[in-house]
């Protein structure tokens, strides 16, 4: 384990061990302070966030983008402060901290007995939404987590999410898809963060007017199992309560090859995600490259030389 990996593991360990013990007003102020310090330093993550917001809000000038990135960092640190504290929250506190609308799409799907896939972008606090599902609704679900380095850090994330009632599968290894399909065939629930492709098999979509790649998994699972595929978007308001919306089901096209159906369905997911992100851009925590143009090494070098991330 490298020194950087040991540091990352120690910092996250301190977060889960210490932040959850702080009085809530102190934790809120700490998160905002860390966010503002990081924003003022203008590191790669902040610059990338701002660059992504420029695609979401194309008419925003430099001042507006700066305001958005500052709000985005505060939202991002709110996510972390809440996540560090979630294991210590009571079931009543979790139940009162999230108010979604159009929940009938989920309940109808679960009652149909063919399984449900909830697909979310990196908006607000998807861990809180998951904890609400397992606590308030009493529905266990299966999800997938990216393998992090060091392995001890990945183990921390798995233990954290399992403590909230989630079954967590590793993204790598090749067996996750089969397990997810079995859970769905048994009438279960699968939740996937699905706005960033972590593989080489993503589907190209139009996202805010430019090509990007998103994972094919949600659409493929829906086709293979007959499960209902539901986009979900989340957002914060000036309140301790997070809001959310369960969007209408993404239907499997009646005709076309599997690849063609997957393309149509993944584009429908991207469109639903874009609706939620456009309404609440500051709650989209995308501090990585996403669009195809930004992922191209030559383009990325050219932009970096011009001072963008």
């Amino acid at each position: 384990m490298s020194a950087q990996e040991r540091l990352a593991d120690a910092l996250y360990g301190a977060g889960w061990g210490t932040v959850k013990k702080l009085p809530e007003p102190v934790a809120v102020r700490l998160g905002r302070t860390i966010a503002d310090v990081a924003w003022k330093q203008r590191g790669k993550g902040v610059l990338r966030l701002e660059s992504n917001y420029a695609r979401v809000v194309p008419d925003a000038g430099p001042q507006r983008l700066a305001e958005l990135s500052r709000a985005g960092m505060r939202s991002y640190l709110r996510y972390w402060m809440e996540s560090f504290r979630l294991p210590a929250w009571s079931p009543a506190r979790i139940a009162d901290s999230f108010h979604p609308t159009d929940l009938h799409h989920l309940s109808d799907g679960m009652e149909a007995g063919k399984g449900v896939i909830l697909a979310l972008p990196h908006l607000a606090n998807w861990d809180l939404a998951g904890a609400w599902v397992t606590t308030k609704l009493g529905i266990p679900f299966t999800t997938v987590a990216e393998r992090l380095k060091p392995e001890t850090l990945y183990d921390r994330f798995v233990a954290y999410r399992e403590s909230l009632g989630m079954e967590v599968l590793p993204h790598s290894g090749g067996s996750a898809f089969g397990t997810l399909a079995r859970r769905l065939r048994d009438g279960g629930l699968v939740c996937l963060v699905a706005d960033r492709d972590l593989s080489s098999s993503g589907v190209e979509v139009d996202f805010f007017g430019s090509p990007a790649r998103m994972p094919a998994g949600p659409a493929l699972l829906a086709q293979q199992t007959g499960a209902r595929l539901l986009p979900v978007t989340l957002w914060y308001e000036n309140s301790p309560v997070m809001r959310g919306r369960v969007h209408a089901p993404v239907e499997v096209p009646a005709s076309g090859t599997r690849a063609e159906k997957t393309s149509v369905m993944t584009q429908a997911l991207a469109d639903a995600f874009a609706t939620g992100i456009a309404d609440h851009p500051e709650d989209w925590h995308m501090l990585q490259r996403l669009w195809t143009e930004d992922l191209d090494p030559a383009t990325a070098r050219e932009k970096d030389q011009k001072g963008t991330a």
Side-chain angles (χ1 to χ4, degrees), residues 7-183:
L7 177 60
D9 184 52
L11 289 174
Y12 282 108
W16 272 301
T18 303
V19 172
K20 67 181 178 182
K21 299 176 182 178
L22 295 175
E24 183 152 347
V26 176
V28 170
R29 288 196 300 271
L30 176 62
R32 178 162 291 201
T33 299
I34 294 172
D36 288 349
V37 169
W39 177 77
K40 289 176 182 177
Q41 291 177 342
R42 307 288 289 167
K44 287 185 177 180
V46 173
L47 292 175
R48 171 49 48 195
L49 184 67
E50 205 163 283
S51 177
N52 289 339
Y53 287 160
R55 291 184 180 273
V56 174
V57 190
D59 58 345
Q63 182 176 347
R64 173 61 177 147
L65 288 175
E67 292 170 352
L68 273 176
S69 64
R70 184 177 188 179
M73 290 303 295
R74 287 182 171 183
S75 176
Y76 185 48
L77 263 295
R78 174 174 172 175
Y79 159 78
W80 278 112
M81 291 294 128
E82 287 179 345
S83 295
F84 286 144
R85 296 169 62 79
L86 262 176
W89 283 8
S90 69
R93 171 68 190 277
I94 292 173
D96 290 341
S97 294
F98 179 43
H99 290 174
T101 62
D102 296 328
L103 198 61
H104 64 279
H105 292 306
L106 172 59
S107 57
D108 290 349
M110 295 302 294
E111 288 172 8
K114 293 185 177 181
V116 173
I117 306 157
L118 299 180
L120 307 88
H122 286 81
L123 271 170
N125 192 337
W126 47 98
D127 283 327
L128 172 56
W132 187 88
V133 168
T134 60
T135 303
K136 173 74 172 180
L137 302 183
I139 303 175
F141 67 85
T142 304
T143 189
V144 174
E146 179 183 2
R147 276 204 177 275
L148 303 171
K149 291 185 178 181
E151 193 74 16
T152 51
L153 180 56
Y154 171 77
D155 291 341
R156 287 184 190 275
F157 272 95
V158 170
Y160 156 64
R161 290 189 169 122
E162 287 180 342
S163 75
L164 301 175
M166 311 175 193
E167 179 188 21
V168 183
L169 308 176
H171 181 270
S172 58
S175 62
F177 187 92
T179 302
L180 294 173
R182 286 193 295 274
R183 299 292 182 268

Side-chain angles (χ1 to χ4, degrees), residues 205-212 214 267 270-271 273-274 277 284 290-291:
V205 296
D206 179 90
F207 197 51
F208 290 100
S210 296
M214 293 188 180
Q267 182 64 61
D271 292 343
F273 293 167
I277 293 167
W284 189 41
L290 179 72
W291 279 271

